[in-house]
């Protein structure tokens, strides 16, 4: 192997680039949720009507397929970028010092495995003509991968352990569990509404108006729990905000914005733009819930 090529290989997979790669992993996992939402919100889920090819004769979209084919094909192509980032991250972890490697290995391996699961799930989704349960499953897997990428970011830094108040520590698990329930019910609500797939695809059969209320109940409970935790943290620090407090503040602010967008979109008949913003917020929420748990339980 030529020396220049060898140096390039070593540079790409250098453990010194690990923090760059883990942040890219987190950003790209959130990005693909946004582009997946664009596919759904523009009715482009079957823009490429076959899988793994885009048409029976071509792996790529054709001009005759129009904007829907382009959007769906672009989302599929982004999976390739995620795969490259996941491989770079995994190899950088393998080359990192042993002590750091041991805590990073599982989530770093989980990302490429999750991408494979998403590819298989995506193929099944297309072949079943956008089955709403499989479409929803796409987001659930993405949420797990966002959480894994968040864990990678957290563990790539050598954190100094900080003691948090016991009540804030004990709230970490309830916040995470209620947060997970809120996100899952949100996925079910989407599967019942007009943006579950394209205009011809089936819905999951749930009553949209009723399940919007079911979604709001754990969401408001989550806001209350996070608000209590934030109050406890701020009161204990007397003006000097720790990382835990900053993360909890960001989490509470995101929840407040999500609640506002959720109410407005329900009143306006779930317009696509607001649904897209809500999906972006849900992705950020999953990451912040993970950061919150790590900063209070592992601080």
């Amino acid at each position: 192997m030529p020396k220049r090529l060898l140096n390039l290989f070593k540079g790409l997979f250098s453990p010194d680039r690990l923090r760059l790669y883990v942040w890219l992993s987190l950003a790209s996992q959130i990005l693909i949720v946004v582009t997946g939402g664009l596919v759904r919100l523009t009715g482009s889920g079957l823009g490429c009507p076959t899988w793994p090819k885009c048409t029976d004769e071509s792996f790529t979209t054709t001009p005759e397929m129009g904007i829907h084919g382009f959007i769906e094909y672009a989302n599929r192509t982004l999976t390739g970028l995620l795969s490259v980032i996941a491989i770079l991250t995994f190899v950088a972890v393998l080359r990192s010092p042993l002590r750091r490697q041991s805590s990073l290995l599982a989530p770093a391996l989980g990302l490429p495995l999750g991408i494979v699961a998403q590819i298989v799930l995506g193929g099944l989704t297309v072949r079943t003509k956008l089955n709403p349960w499989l479409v929803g499953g796409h987001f659930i897997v993405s949420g797990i991968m966002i959480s894994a990428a968040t864990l990678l970011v957290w563990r790539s830094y050598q954190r100094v352990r900080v003691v948090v108040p016991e009540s804030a520590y004990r709230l970490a698990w309830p916040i995470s569990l209620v947060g997970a329930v809120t996100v899952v019910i949100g996925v079910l609500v989407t599967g019942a509404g007009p943006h579950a797939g394209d205009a011809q695809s089936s819905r999951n059969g749930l009553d949209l108006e009723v399940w919007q209320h079911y979604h709001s109940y754990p969401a408001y409970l989550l806001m209350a729990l996070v608000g209590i935790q934030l109050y406890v943290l701020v009161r204990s620090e007397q003006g000097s905000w720790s990382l835990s407090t900053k993360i909890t503040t960001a989490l509470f602010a995101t929840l407040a914005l999500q609640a506002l967008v959720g109410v407005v979109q329900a009143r306006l008949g779930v317009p696509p733009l607001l649904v897209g913003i809500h999906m972006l917020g849900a992705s950020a929420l999953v990451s912040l819930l993970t950061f919150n748990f790590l900063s209070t339980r592992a601080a």
Side-chain angles (χ1 to χ4, degrees), residues 33-34 37-38 41 261 265 271-282:
V33 172
V34 175
L38 180 63
L41 297 172
V261 173
Q265 73 174 12
L273 178 60
L274 290 182
V275 174
I277 293 173
H278 207 55
M279 290 181 69
L280 173 60

Side-chain angles (χ1 to χ4, degrees), residues 195-225:
H195 306 299
D198 63 14
Q200 287 74 43
S201 62
S202 62
R203 302 297 185 260
N204 60 23
L206 301 176
D207 188 304
L208 177 60
E209 185 174 349
V210 171
W211 279 85
Q212 283 177 335
H213 289 293
Y214 290 163
H215 179 47
S216 69
Y217 301 150
Y220 289 134
L221 174 59
L222 179 60
M223 276 193 70
L225 292 173

